[in-house]
Amino acid sequence: MAELDTLYGTKNPIFQAGMGGIAGPELTAAISNVGGLGHLGAIRLSAKDLKNWIAQTKALTDKPFAVNLVPPGGGPDGFDAQLDVTISEKPKAVSLYWGDFGSVIPKLKEAGISVMVQVGSLAEAQKALSDGADTIIAQGIEAGGHVKSKIGLMSILPDVLKIAGTTPVLAAGGLSNPSKIKAVLGMGAAGVWVGTSFIVATESNAHEIYRERLIEATVDDTHHGHFYSYGWPIGTPYRVIKPGKNYSLRNFKAAGARRSDSEAFARTVQLYAGQGVGDVKEKKSAAEILNDLSADLY
Ligand SMILES: Cc1cc2nc3c(=O)[nH]c(=O)nc-3n(C[C@H](O)[C@H](O)[C@H](O)COP(=O)(O)O)c2cc1C
């Protein structure tokens, strides 16, 4: 099997998921600086802003990092413009989600960029493998944010592993403590792709109220819905925690509240979170979170 450290220059098999609006240069660099793979969440960025974020990340780390691109969130200049900037800036890797990447993967690989594709079904995994992905991220329905998968991670992961052959597979969805991570590595995953646990990191762009809501939430509190999520077509499925008792029309909207959003927004939207949210107990640095998650690995 191609090894993650060879493909991505990492020391730790825990990769921070690209999270639009939440994973900026500080979080990405903080993860990469301690041996994981940080991913800039490029959703809704203009090509110029993405270029600036990549430059800021390079100023904060000399370690490999990645850019996460999602075609429905291609920003004001569109996905192709984001892709062009990414190719010219040559991060170590790109992660792709929610699209047909048949013509995208060869362009990235020609530029020497390793490519991972997050999938929510066996058919999508097969397509990503045929398109030449270097790594498959198998997402379970436990995942926070927008969820392609309709399948539990325990069910999708073994089947994706079976068809992946020598291509490494990362597991994603609800992986918020060392024992769960150890379990999926034991099943054959080469690494894990973790989002929710890193939202509360001091270096993330999350609003303080978002952090507080995650810390209060238990495993009972997430909800899988598909009504309205900011910037996405109506009907796109997502996993969130519900807002508190703050009545507003925004109660019907799913989003990730950023530092730059108002307190009223952060208090009233449904906030993206995965089923591992009950393990998120305190605000810490990204390095401490990575270290805690890695406890059973060595
Ligand atoms: C706040 C938030 C934002 C997300 N944004 C993105 C994104 O921009 N691109 C992407 O590929 N996945 C995104 N995801 C989904 C992750 O890639 C991944 O599937 C998920 O975080 C894994 O589950 P976990 O959150 O339980 O760890 C997001 C997840 C969260 C929680």
mmCIF file of all heavy atoms in Angstrom, residues 17-20 22 41 43 68 70 96-97 118 139 142-146 172-175 193-197 199 210 256 272-276, ligand 1:
data_model
loop_
_atom_site.group_PDB
_atom_site.id
_atom_site.type_symbol
_atom_site.label_atom_id
_atom_site.label_comp_id
_atom_site.label_asym_id
_atom_site.label_seq_id
_atom_site.Cartn_x
_atom_site.Cartn_y
_atom_site.Cartn_z
ATOM 1 N N ALA A 17 -10.020 17.659 8.521
ATOM 2 C CA ALA A 17 -10.918 17.807 7.365
ATOM 3 C C ALA A 17 -10.966 19.259 6.895
ATOM 4 O O ALA A 17 -10.959 20.182 7.718
ATOM 5 C CB ALA A 17 -12.322 17.349 7.754
ATOM 6 N N GLY A 18 -11.037 19.435 5.585
ATOM 7 C CA GLY A 18 -11.296 20.770 5.046
ATOM 8 C C GLY A 18 -12.657 21.209 5.552
ATOM 9 O O GLY A 18 -13.617 20.446 5.435
ATOM 10 N N MET A 19 -12.740 22.393 6.123
ATOM 11 C CA MET A 19 -14.037 22.890 6.611
ATOM 12 C C MET A 19 -14.176 24.331 6.174
ATOM 13 O O MET A 19 -13.495 25.229 6.696
ATOM 14 C CB MET A 19 -14.117 22.781 8.142
ATOM 15 C CG MET A 19 -14.157 21.349 8.650
ATOM 16 S SD MET A 19 -14.364 21.243 10.446
ATOM 17 C CE MET A 19 -12.711 21.640 11.009
ATOM 18 N N GLY A 20 -15.068 24.532 5.193
ATOM 19 C CA GLY A 20 -15.247 25.864 4.613
ATOM 20 C C GLY A 20 -15.542 26.902 5.686
ATOM 21 O O GLY A 20 -16.381 26.682 6.552
ATOM 22 N N ILE A 22 -14.218 27.634 8.358
ATOM 23 C CA ILE A 22 -13.717 27.318 9.704
ATOM 24 C C ILE A 22 -12.221 27.019 9.686
ATOM 25 O O ILE A 22 -11.477 27.392 10.599
ATOM 26 C CB ILE A 22 -14.495 26.100 10.276
ATOM 27 C CG1 ILE A 22 -16.010 26.388 10.311
ATOM 28 C CG2 ILE A 22 -13.981 25.694 11.640
ATOM 29 C CD1 ILE A 22 -16.434 27.517 11.214
ATOM 30 N N GLY A 41 -9.984 25.159 4.063
ATOM 31 C CA GLY A 41 -11.344 24.987 3.530
ATOM 32 C C GLY A 41 -11.648 26.131 2.580
ATOM 33 O O GLY A 41 -11.930 27.248 3.001
ATOM 34 N N ILE A 43 -14.079 26.706 0.474
ATOM 35 C CA ILE A 43 -15.467 27.005 0.064
ATOM 36 C C ILE A 43 -15.730 28.519 0.133
ATOM 37 O O ILE A 43 -15.384 29.165 1.111
ATOM 38 C CB ILE A 43 -16.458 26.238 0.973
ATOM 39 C CG1 ILE A 43 -16.608 24.819 0.448
ATOM 40 C CG2 ILE A 43 -17.803 26.918 1.076
ATOM 41 C CD1 ILE A 43 -17.742 24.033 1.036
ATOM 42 N N ASN A 68 -8.620 22.136 0.288
ATOM 43 C CA ASN A 68 -9.865 21.380 0.077
ATOM 44 C C ASN A 68 -10.773 22.166 -0.868
ATOM 45 O O ASN A 68 -11.078 23.321 -0.630
ATOM 46 C CB ASN A 68 -10.546 21.193 1.445
ATOM 47 C CG ASN A 68 -11.936 20.596 1.330
ATOM 48 O OD1 ASN A 68 -12.933 21.298 1.441
ATOM 49 N ND2 ASN A 68 -12.016 19.306 1.112
ATOM 50 N N VAL A 70 -14.387 22.186 -3.213
ATOM 51 C CA VAL A 70 -15.732 21.615 -3.300
ATOM 52 C C VAL A 70 -16.479 22.376 -4.401
ATOM 53 O O VAL A 70 -16.822 23.553 -4.209
ATOM 54 C CB VAL A 70 -16.460 21.781 -1.933
ATOM 55 C CG1 VAL A 70 -17.838 21.154 -1.975
ATOM 56 C CG2 VAL A 70 -15.636 21.201 -0.794
ATOM 57 N N LEU A 96 -10.841 16.649 -2.479
ATOM 58 C CA LEU A 96 -11.989 17.019 -3.308
ATOM 59 C C LEU A 96 -13.244 16.383 -2.740
ATOM 60 O O LEU A 96 -13.205 15.257 -2.231
ATOM 61 C CB LEU A 96 -11.770 16.522 -4.739
ATOM 62 C CG LEU A 96 -10.540 17.070 -5.474
ATOM 63 C CD1 LEU A 96 -10.257 16.240 -6.725
ATOM 64 C CD2 LEU A 96 -10.744 18.540 -5.852
ATOM 65 N N TYR A 97 -14.367 17.094 -2.880
ATOM 66 C CA TYR A 97 -15.630 16.600 -2.319
ATOM 67 C C TYR A 97 -16.755 17.122 -3.167
ATOM 68 O O TYR A 97 -16.727 18.262 -3.618
ATOM 69 C CB TYR A 97 -15.735 17.129 -0.885
ATOM 70 C CG TYR A 97 -16.856 16.591 -0.024
ATOM 71 C CD1 TYR A 97 -17.323 15.294 -0.122
ATOM 72 C CD2 TYR A 97 -17.426 17.407 0.958
ATOM 73 C CE1 TYR A 97 -18.325 14.829 0.714
ATOM 74 C CE2 TYR A 97 -18.422 16.949 1.804
ATOM 75 C CZ TYR A 97 -18.876 15.656 1.681
ATOM 76 O OH TYR A 97 -19.856 15.186 2.522
ATOM 77 N N GLN A 118 -13.197 12.551 -1.135
ATOM 78 C CA GLN A 118 -14.127 12.065 -0.102
ATOM 79 C C GLN A 118 -15.388 11.525 -0.777
ATOM 80 O O GLN A 118 -15.986 12.207 -1.617
ATOM 81 C CB GLN A 118 -14.495 13.192 0.866
ATOM 82 C CG GLN A 118 -15.466 12.732 1.944
ATOM 83 C CD GLN A 118 -15.594 13.703 3.120
ATOM 84 O OE1 GLN A 118 -15.765 13.286 4.248
ATOM 85 N NE2 GLN A 118 -15.497 14.982 2.864
ATOM 86 N N GLN A 139 -16.601 8.307 3.849
ATOM 87 C CA GLN A 139 -17.393 9.062 4.826
ATOM 88 C C GLN A 139 -18.610 8.247 5.272
ATOM 89 O O GLN A 139 -19.328 7.686 4.444
ATOM 90 C CB GLN A 139 -17.870 10.377 4.184
ATOM 91 C CG GLN A 139 -18.580 11.309 5.147
ATOM 92 C CD GLN A 139 -19.352 12.401 4.416
ATOM 93 O OE1 GLN A 139 -20.131 12.114 3.514
ATOM 94 N NE2 GLN A 139 -19.124 13.643 4.791
ATOM 95 N N GLU A 142 -22.344 9.485 9.999
ATOM 96 C CA GLU A 142 -22.100 10.134 11.301
ATOM 97 C C GLU A 142 -21.466 11.513 11.150
ATOM 98 O O GLU A 142 -21.399 12.299 12.093
ATOM 99 C CB GLU A 142 -21.137 9.272 12.143
ATOM 100 C CG GLU A 142 -21.614 7.869 12.468
ATOM 101 C CD GLU A 142 -21.177 6.837 11.425
ATOM 102 O OE1 GLU A 142 -20.944 7.202 10.252
ATOM 103 O OE2 GLU A 142 -21.094 5.653 11.800
ATOM 104 N N ALA A 143 -20.955 11.817 9.947
ATOM 105 C CA ALA A 143 -20.127 13.015 9.736
ATOM 106 C C ALA A 143 -20.892 14.312 9.951
ATOM 107 O O ALA A 143 -22.092 14.399 9.696
ATOM 108 C CB ALA A 143 -19.553 12.991 8.316
ATOM 109 N N GLY A 144 -20.154 15.340 10.376
ATOM 110 C CA GLY A 144 -20.710 16.684 10.503
ATOM 111 C C GLY A 144 -20.583 17.447 9.196
ATOM 112 O O GLY A 144 -19.846 17.066 8.301
ATOM 113 N N GLY A 145 -21.326 18.558 9.110
ATOM 114 C CA GLY A 145 -21.300 19.361 7.878
ATOM 115 C C GLY A 145 -22.173 18.711 6.818
ATOM 116 O O GLY A 145 -23.146 18.006 7.138
ATOM 117 N N HIS A 146 -21.850 18.935 5.561
ATOM 118 C CA HIS A 146 -22.634 18.321 4.487
ATOM 119 C C HIS A 146 -22.239 16.855 4.344
ATOM 120 O O HIS A 146 -21.062 16.529 4.336
ATOM 121 C CB HIS A 146 -22.444 19.106 3.183
ATOM 122 C CG HIS A 146 -23.097 20.437 3.291
ATOM 123 N ND1 HIS A 146 -22.410 21.568 3.638
ATOM 124 C CD2 HIS A 146 -24.402 20.798 3.190
ATOM 125 C CE1 HIS A 146 -23.249 22.582 3.735
ATOM 126 N NE2 HIS A 146 -24.467 22.151 3.463
ATOM 127 N N ALA A 172 -13.901 8.581 7.854
ATOM 128 C CA ALA A 172 -14.427 9.883 8.292
ATOM 129 C C ALA A 172 -15.833 9.736 8.851
ATOM 130 O O ALA A 172 -16.642 8.964 8.336
ATOM 131 C CB ALA A 172 -14.453 10.853 7.114
ATOM 132 N N GLY A 173 -16.116 10.526 9.892
ATOM 133 C CA GLY A 173 -17.471 10.576 10.432
ATOM 134 C C GLY A 173 -17.526 10.157 11.881
ATOM 135 O O GLY A 173 -17.410 8.967 12.189
ATOM 136 N N GLY A 174 -17.639 11.128 12.779
ATOM 137 C CA GLY A 174 -17.824 10.828 14.198
ATOM 138 C C GLY A 174 -16.581 10.349 14.910
ATOM 139 O O GLY A 174 -16.662 9.855 16.027
ATOM 140 N N LEU A 175 -15.410 10.490 14.291
ATOM 141 C CA LEU A 175 -14.173 9.950 14.894
ATOM 142 C C LEU A 175 -13.570 11.000 15.828
ATOM 143 O O LEU A 175 -12.755 11.822 15.430
ATOM 144 C CB LEU A 175 -13.202 9.521 13.789
ATOM 145 C CG LEU A 175 -13.786 8.433 12.887
ATOM 146 C CD1 LEU A 175 -12.852 8.116 11.729
ATOM 147 C CD2 LEU A 175 -14.080 7.165 13.692
ATOM 148 N N TRP A 193 -9.938 11.145 8.973
ATOM 149 C CA TRP A 193 -10.235 12.502 8.474
ATOM 150 C C TRP A 193 -11.249 13.075 9.452
ATOM 151 O O TRP A 193 -12.373 12.576 9.544
ATOM 152 C CB TRP A 193 -10.804 12.324 7.063
ATOM 153 C CG TRP A 193 -11.404 13.452 6.323
ATOM 154 C CD1 TRP A 193 -12.740 13.680 6.135
ATOM 155 C CD2 TRP A 193 -10.715 14.466 5.577
ATOM 156 N NE1 TRP A 193 -12.914 14.763 5.321
ATOM 157 C CE2 TRP A 193 -11.702 15.269 4.971
ATOM 158 C CE3 TRP A 193 -9.373 14.770 5.370
ATOM 159 C CZ2 TRP A 193 -11.385 16.365 4.167
ATOM 160 C CZ3 TRP A 193 -9.061 15.850 4.572
ATOM 161 C CH2 TRP A 193 -10.046 16.635 3.982
ATOM 162 N N VAL A 194 -10.802 14.064 10.226
ATOM 163 C CA VAL A 194 -11.580 14.517 11.389
ATOM 164 C C VAL A 194 -11.950 15.989 11.240
ATOM 165 O O VAL A 194 -11.072 16.834 11.019
ATOM 166 C CB VAL A 194 -10.736 14.323 12.679
ATOM 167 C CG1 VAL A 194 -11.445 14.914 13.880
ATOM 168 C CG2 VAL A 194 -10.433 12.842 12.894
ATOM 169 N N GLY A 195 -13.232 16.288 11.381
ATOM 170 C CA GLY A 195 -13.685 17.666 11.295
ATOM 171 C C GLY A 195 -14.098 18.238 12.634
ATOM 172 O O GLY A 195 -13.408 19.072 13.230
ATOM 173 N N THR A 196 -15.235 17.761 13.158
ATOM 174 C CA THR A 196 -15.878 18.365 14.336
ATOM 175 C C THR A 196 -14.910 18.622 15.498
ATOM 176 O O THR A 196 -14.944 19.697 16.105
ATOM 177 C CB THR A 196 -17.048 17.450 14.793
ATOM 178 O OG1 THR A 196 -17.983 17.375 13.711
ATOM 179 C CG2 THR A 196 -17.740 17.984 16.029
ATOM 180 N N SER A 197 -14.045 17.668 15.811
ATOM 181 C CA SER A 197 -13.148 17.845 16.973
ATOM 182 C C SER A 197 -12.273 19.084 16.841
ATOM 183 O O SER A 197 -11.889 19.679 17.857
ATOM 184 C CB SER A 197 -12.234 16.626 17.127
ATOM 185 O OG SER A 197 -12.995 15.470 17.275
ATOM 186 N N ILE A 199 -13.113 21.944 15.308
ATOM 187 C CA ILE A 199 -13.829 23.241 15.244
ATOM 188 C C ILE A 199 -13.517 24.058 16.496
ATOM 189 O O ILE A 199 -13.378 25.272 16.443
ATOM 190 C CB ILE A 199 -15.356 23.026 15.113
ATOM 191 C CG1 ILE A 199 -15.691 22.255 13.842
ATOM 192 C CG2 ILE A 199 -16.095 24.375 15.120
ATOM 193 C CD1 ILE A 199 -17.157 21.824 13.754
ATOM 194 N N TYR A 210 -20.253 29.069 18.769
ATOM 195 C CA TYR A 210 -20.223 27.754 18.101
ATOM 196 C C TYR A 210 -19.430 26.784 18.980
ATOM 197 O O TYR A 210 -19.871 25.662 19.270
ATOM 198 C CB TYR A 210 -19.566 27.931 16.728
ATOM 199 C CG TYR A 210 -19.645 26.778 15.744
ATOM 200 C CD1 TYR A 210 -20.307 25.592 16.026
ATOM 201 C CD2 TYR A 210 -19.038 26.904 14.486
ATOM 202 C CE1 TYR A 210 -20.360 24.557 15.099
ATOM 203 C CE2 TYR A 210 -19.091 25.889 13.549
ATOM 204 C CZ TYR A 210 -19.747 24.712 13.861
ATOM 205 O OH TYR A 210 -19.807 23.701 12.929
ATOM 206 N N GLY A 256 -22.025 27.050 9.490
ATOM 207 C CA GLY A 256 -20.931 27.001 10.455
ATOM 208 C C GLY A 256 -20.647 28.447 10.840
ATOM 209 O O GLY A 256 -20.260 29.228 9.984
ATOM 210 N N TYR A 272 -23.151 23.023 12.177
ATOM 211 C CA TYR A 272 -22.627 21.752 11.690
ATOM 212 C C TYR A 272 -21.873 21.004 12.790
ATOM 213 O O TYR A 272 -21.004 21.571 13.457
ATOM 214 C CB TYR A 272 -21.658 21.977 10.525
ATOM 215 C CG TYR A 272 -22.279 22.642 9.327
ATOM 216 C CD1 TYR A 272 -21.669 23.720 8.703
ATOM 217 C CD2 TYR A 272 -23.490 22.181 8.809
ATOM 218 C CE1 TYR A 272 -22.235 24.331 7.601
ATOM 219 C CE2 TYR A 272 -24.058 22.789 7.703
ATOM 220 C CZ TYR A 272 -23.440 23.862 7.105
ATOM 221 O OH TYR A 272 -24.012 24.463 6.021
ATOM 222 N N ALA A 273 -22.185 19.740 12.948
ATOM 223 C CA ALA A 273 -21.465 18.901 13.927
ATOM 224 C C ALA A 273 -21.708 17.439 13.626
ATOM 225 O O ALA A 273 -22.802 17.049 13.194
ATOM 226 C CB ALA A 273 -21.955 19.210 15.345
ATOM 227 N N GLY A 274 -20.700 16.616 13.870
ATOM 228 C CA GLY A 274 -20.814 15.175 13.653
ATOM 229 C C GLY A 274 -21.243 14.453 14.931
ATOM 230 O O GLY A 274 -21.302 15.048 16.016
ATOM 231 N N GLN A 275 -21.512 13.167 14.801
ATOM 232 C CA GLN A 275 -22.042 12.388 15.929
ATOM 233 C C GLN A 275 -21.021 12.167 17.043
ATOM 234 O O GLN A 275 -21.386 11.683 18.108
ATOM 235 C CB GLN A 275 -22.572 11.038 15.432
ATOM 236 C CG GLN A 275 -23.915 11.171 14.727
ATOM 237 C CD GLN A 275 -24.514 9.842 14.354
ATOM 238 O OE1 GLN A 275 -23.797 8.866 14.136
ATOM 239 N NE2 GLN A 275 -25.829 9.797 14.251
ATOM 240 N N GLY A 276 -19.770 12.569 16.799
ATOM 241 C CA GLY A 276 -18.774 12.454 17.869
ATOM 242 C C GLY A 276 -18.772 13.664 18.788
ATOM 243 O O GLY A 276 -17.912 13.775 19.676
HETATM 244 C C1 LIG B 1 -18.109 22.661 10.159
HETATM 245 C C2 LIG B 1 -17.865 21.679 9.057
HETATM 246 C C3 LIG B 1 -17.595 22.154 7.788
HETATM 247 C C4 LIG B 1 -17.319 21.259 6.757
HETATM 248 N N1 LIG B 1 -16.962 21.756 5.535
HETATM 249 C C5 LIG B 1 -16.472 20.911 4.612
HETATM 250 C C6 LIG B 1 -15.855 21.432 3.441
HETATM 251 O O1 LIG B 1 -15.780 22.645 3.222
HETATM 252 N N2 LIG B 1 -15.304 20.539 2.572
HETATM 253 C C7 LIG B 1 -15.341 19.190 2.795
HETATM 254 O O2 LIG B 1 -14.788 18.436 1.995
HETATM 255 N N3 LIG B 1 -15.968 18.677 3.876
HETATM 256 C C8 LIG B 1 -16.496 19.502 4.795
HETATM 257 N N4 LIG B 1 -17.054 18.988 5.942
HETATM 258 C C9 LIG B 1 -17.205 17.524 6.092
HETATM 259 C C10 LIG B 1 -15.861 16.865 6.431
HETATM 260 O O3 LIG B 1 -15.118 16.708 5.256
HETATM 261 C C11 LIG B 1 -15.992 15.476 7.077
HETATM 262 O O4 LIG B 1 -16.777 14.630 6.297
HETATM 263 C C12 LIG B 1 -16.558 15.494 8.485
HETATM 264 O O5 LIG B 1 -16.087 16.583 9.233
HETATM 265 C C13 LIG B 1 -16.179 14.210 9.201
HETATM 266 O O6 LIG B 1 -17.000 14.000 10.317
HETATM 267 P P1 LIG B 1 -16.744 14.654 11.770
HETATM 268 O O7 LIG B 1 -17.103 16.094 11.614
HETATM 269 O O8 LIG B 1 -17.698 13.901 12.621
HETATM 270 O O9 LIG B 1 -15.307 14.450 12.129
HETATM 271 C C14 LIG B 1 -17.357 19.862 6.989
HETATM 272 C C15 LIG B 1 -17.631 19.390 8.278
HETATM 273 C C16 LIG B 1 -17.892 20.275 9.301
HETATM 274 C C17 LIG B 1 -18.148 19.738 10.677
#
